[in-house]
Amino acid sequence: MKTTSFSKILLAACVTLSAAGCAEKSEYRNMQPVREVKSNTYDFIKSANHGGLYDSLLYILDKTGLAEKLKTGKTTFFVPQDFSINAAMYNLNFTREKRGDPGNWTIDSVSTGIWDTLLTRYMINGEYNLDSLRFADGVNLVTPYGYEMNGKAITTTASGIEAGGSMVIQYSDKNNSRIIKNWVMTTTEAANLKTSTGMVHMLEPKHIFGFSSFVDKVYPPRMTPFLGKPISIPGHIEIGYFDIGGQGVAYYDVDPAVNKGAPDFRKAEGVDIDVCSDGGLYNIGATNPNEWLKYTVKVEHTGMYAVFAKVASPNSDGVFHIEKDGVDITGPLKSPKTGNYQSWTVVKANDVLLTEGTYVFTYYEESGGFNGGRFGFLPRFRVPYNGQPVNVPGTVMATEFDYGDNMCNDADAYNKGSARHLHRVFEGTDTEATNEAPGSYHISHVAVGEWAVYSINVTKAGNYRIQARVASTNATGRMHLEIDGVNVSGEMATLNTGSYQTFTNVSSPVIHLTEGQHDFKFVAEKTGFNLSKFIFVAL
């Protein structure tokens, strides 16, 4: 495709509009001296629109009403060519197709407000020529909407000689950052033209309109749950499983280009992730003020919830909070001094009211200097583990006791089993993965006086035996079973099965169950066994 050099068009337009405005043998890309035309900036661009170089730009200027700004007040305009606008539209449609949407958007598909917002980033109130930008750090330039850009006069390289070429303007979108490596830059192809309403600097055609903002503003990244579906509450949130969406959408990290953590996990993301010593999986580290992570969650039941979080730090000044749909629901939570970054403790917030529905929870770091681990929400009210009582005849999984206050009792305040990072994380009952079935768990380290309560629904009245699946390296364990607070089994002795992962059945006497809902409870009388499930067998 044949292209037209803007330098040549600029010279021709300059001669046409003001014979006195241009010297015949001067090239505008040399930017010396300032040239001048008598027309306003908008009319000058129209006059220079040879070969459709500005068709799209002029259309957008008219569409947004920004044409009037170029016809009146004093404005410095860094002019993007249609090549830049077309490249931005190509990137937009490519991204849409990658996400499964039609790649058929046109200029009119993009909202006028977005065109207005992004196009004003090329407009600076006042007049700035090359000489006014000759500073080592350039000059910070403010757009009509208060957005900060930077302009800097630089000398190009010519014939292999550094700084041996002409001077151009390096025009940068600062991306709200003082750190230069976060800026997105372009340079001018021609510049230093003074119109009756300001200054004109023409940007190089390889520039992409909007710098790095166009696609994200027009077609924002979709935040999706890491596991493909919202995390269920009641339960815990694994901190490394923040949503997919990237920097500024699913998370914010002060250094998003680098994952400073150790594991080969989410390495393409900017969040700093470590292998967690507390059972396994991951924690966040290298925390800094105002970093955050977002999680899509589904609250299954309305009510008051206790809030827990795991933290580790050699310092005592870490602070964070948790938000629901952008509203702080916990207030500041302090991370105490635990000894080191892998010595974990649990902090507890005041109870919060959660209503059934889907939300975005945010883990927000108010300060740095601590490691953050998994956090969770447990109902203070009673609710069956799976939302409804277990039907009998059937199987009750030992670790699936009801949620709520006083639904279990354990010798320790928190789960110390090998699956403490996976299952019943913030409850006392110790859990381990069982080899009975993939993805299932058993109660481990059963001690005297420990118990758990389950809601069951007897679908058919009659006589039953309850078979408890137990494993042990000794035969000293003892338990009994209760229905509605009554001991119905008497003492049940466990067996030596050879290992704590080899399970067998021990059966209760025959018991009679009436139809309907009941409380089922197991109580440990003597220690030394693991417990997998209870099987209610109708006789």
Side-chain angles (χ1 to χ4, degrees):
M1 181 177 70
K2 183 178 180 181
T3 61
T4 305
S5 167
F6 179 77
S7 299
K8 295 177 181 177
I9 292 175
L10 182 61
L11 181 60
C14 192
V15 170
T16 301
L17 291 171
S18 177
C22 292
E24 274 187 57
K25 296 184 180 180
S26 295
E27 286 191 340
Y28 273 80
R29 62 188 305 123
N30 293 329
M31 300 187 184
Q32 195 71 345
V34 173
R35 306 298 187 238
E36 186 172 354
V37 296
K38 294 181 179 179
S39 64
N40 64 56
T41 298
Y42 178 81
D43 288 340
F44 169 73
I45 294 172
K46 286 189 71 173
S47 71
N49 186 28
H50 298 284
L53 196 61
Y54 303 116
D55 283 347
S56 296
L57 175 63
L58 290 166
Y59 178 75
I60 295 168
L61 286 169
D62 291 335
K63 180 182 178 72
T64 59
L66 290 172
E68 293 304 311
K69 183 173 181 63
L70 299 181
K71 293 177 183 178
T72 54
K74 296 296 183 182
T75 301
T76 297
F77 190 24
F78 291 84
V79 184
Q81 299 184 37
D82 275 15
F83 298 116
S84 300
I85 296 171
N86 293 340
M89 290 300 301
Y90 174 86
N91 289 346
L92 169 63
N93 282 316
F94 179 83
T95 303
R96 286 179 57 82
E97 289 179 349
K98 282 291 186 180
R99 296 183 190 169
D101 290 330
N104 59 358
W105 272 30
T106 66
I107 287 175
D108 287 329
S109 303
V110 179
S111 74
T112 301
I114 289 177
W115 285 122
D116 179 84
T117 296
L118 294 180
L119 192 51
T120 56
R121 294 188 182 179
Y122 298 85
M123 299 179 181
I124 306 298
N125 292 332
E127 297 183 0
Y128 293 87
N129 60 27
L130 183 144
D131 287 339
S132 67
L133 304 176
R134 292 175 184 257
F135 294 91
D137 296 325
V139 176
N140 290 331
L141 306 172
V142 180
T143 72
Y145 292 148
Y147 189 83
E148 198 167 84
M149 308 289 287
N150 183 274
K152 179 182 177 180
I154 61 173
T155 304
T156 61
T157 298
S159 301
I161 302 173
E162 187 174 350
S166 60
M167 295 200 74
V168 298
I169 298 174
Q170 178 179 278
Y171 190 56
S172 303
D173 183 342
K174 295 179 65 177
N175 276 325
N176 294 309
S177 174
R178 292 179 296 176
I179 302 173
I180 293 177
K181 72 175 183 178
N182 294 332
W183 298 5
V184 181
M185 304 172 183
T186 187
T187 56
T188 54
E189 181 186 56
N192 258 16
L193 176 75
K194 180 175 174 57
T195 71
S196 64
T197 57
M199 295 293 300
V200 171
H201 307 298
M202 175 60 193
L203 297 178
E204 60 186 352
K206 68 179 181 180
H207 166 64
I208 297 177
F209 180 83
F211 295 85
S212 60
S213 300
F214 184 77
V215 173
D216 285 350
K217 280 194 173 294
V218 176
Y219 189 60
R222 295 173 180 171
M223 192 170 73
T224 57
F226 178 73
L227 297 175
K229 63 180 181 180
I231 298 169
S232 184
I233 299 297
H236 78 280
I237 297 172
E238 185 61 36
I239 202 162
Y241 293 170
F242 53 89
D243 283 3
I244 297 168
Q247 171 80 347
V249 178
Y251 64 85
Y252 173 76
D253 192 275
V254 297
D255 191 6
V258 181
N259 178 345
K260 297 175 183 176
D264 188 20
F265 177 70
R266 306 194 76 166
K267 295 296 286 186
E269 310 270 9
V271 179
D272 306 311
I273 300 173
D274 296 321
V275 173
C276 183
S277 66
D278 185 29
L281 295 179
Y282 309 100
N283 62 263
I284 57 168
T287 53
N288 286 283
N290 302 316
E291 293 183 335
W292 46 262
L293 305 160
K294 292 184 181 292
Y295 308 81
T296 301
V297 305
K298 183 179 181 184
V299 177
E300 304 288 354
H301 314 283
T302 297
M304 297 300 295
Y305 284 76
V307 185
F308 305 86
K310 293 198 172 187
V311 293
S313 178
N315 313 302
S316 59
D317 53 0
V319 180
F320 65 101
H321 68 261
I322 298 169
E323 300 176 359
K324 177 171 76 76
D325 286 350
V327 177
D328 183 352
I329 59 173
T330 63
L333 302 175
K334 294 184 178 181
S335 172
K337 184 176 182 178
T338 64
N340 60 62
Y341 285 117
Q342 286 295 331
S343 180
W344 296 92
T345 191
V346 175
V347 295
K348 189 176 183 300
N350 292 329
D351 294 348
V352 299
L353 174 64
L354 299 178
T355 54
E356 182 179 339
T358 301
Y359 305 95
V360 174
F361 281 12
T362 303
Y363 187 99
Y364 193 100
E365 301 155 26
E366 297 183 22
S367 69
F370 70 98
N371 280 2
R374 50 197 66 97
F375 58 105
F377 298 80
L378 297 177
R380 299 300 306 272
F381 54 95
R382 183 175 182 179
V383 60
Y385 179 81
N386 290 304
Q388 57 187 5
V390 179
N391 284 333
V392 168
T395 299
V396 176
M397 303 303 295
T399 63
E400 296 182 359
F401 48 88
D402 288 5
Y403 286 113
D405 292 348
N406 300 316
M407 291 294 104
C408 67
N409 180 61
D410 194 89
D412 305 306
Y414 295 108
N415 186 344
K416 293 185 177 180
S418 61
R420 62 186 180 275
H421 60 301
L422 299 170
H423 188 57
R424 312 305 296 236
V425 171
F426 292 104
E427 294 160 278
T429 302
D430 304 317
T431 61
E432 292 179 344
T434 182
N435 59 12
E436 292 252 273
S440 62
Y441 304 90
H442 61 251
I443 296 176
S444 65
H445 306 91
V446 176
V448 176
E450 294 184 342
W451 48 262
V453 180
Y454 313 79
S455 293
I456 63 171
N457 177 48
V458 178
T459 59
K460 181 180 180 181
N463 292 332
Y464 289 81
R465 285 188 188 273
I466 305 175
Q467 297 175 345
R469 295 281 292 171
V470 298
S472 181
T473 58
N474 58 70
T476 60
R478 298 290 187 273
M479 74 174 112
H480 74 258
L481 308 178
E482 299 179 4
I483 298 292
D484 297 332
V486 177
N487 184 341
V488 295
S489 68
E491 184 179 88
M492 297 172 61
T494 63
L495 303 175
N496 185 339
T497 64
S499 82
Y500 284 107
Q501 280 284 357
T502 302
F503 288 86
T504 192
N505 293 339
V506 294
S507 293
S508 73
V510 175
I511 60 174
H512 184 80
L513 297 178
T514 59
E515 186 176 334
Q517 286 192 202
H518 299 277
D519 288 345
F520 169 62
K521 182 179 182 179
F522 100 89
V523 180
E525 297 180 353
K526 291 184 180 180
T527 190
F529 62 97
N530 288 353
L531 181 59
S532 171
K533 65 184 74 170
F534 304 95
I535 305 169
F536 286 72
V537 180
L539 301 178

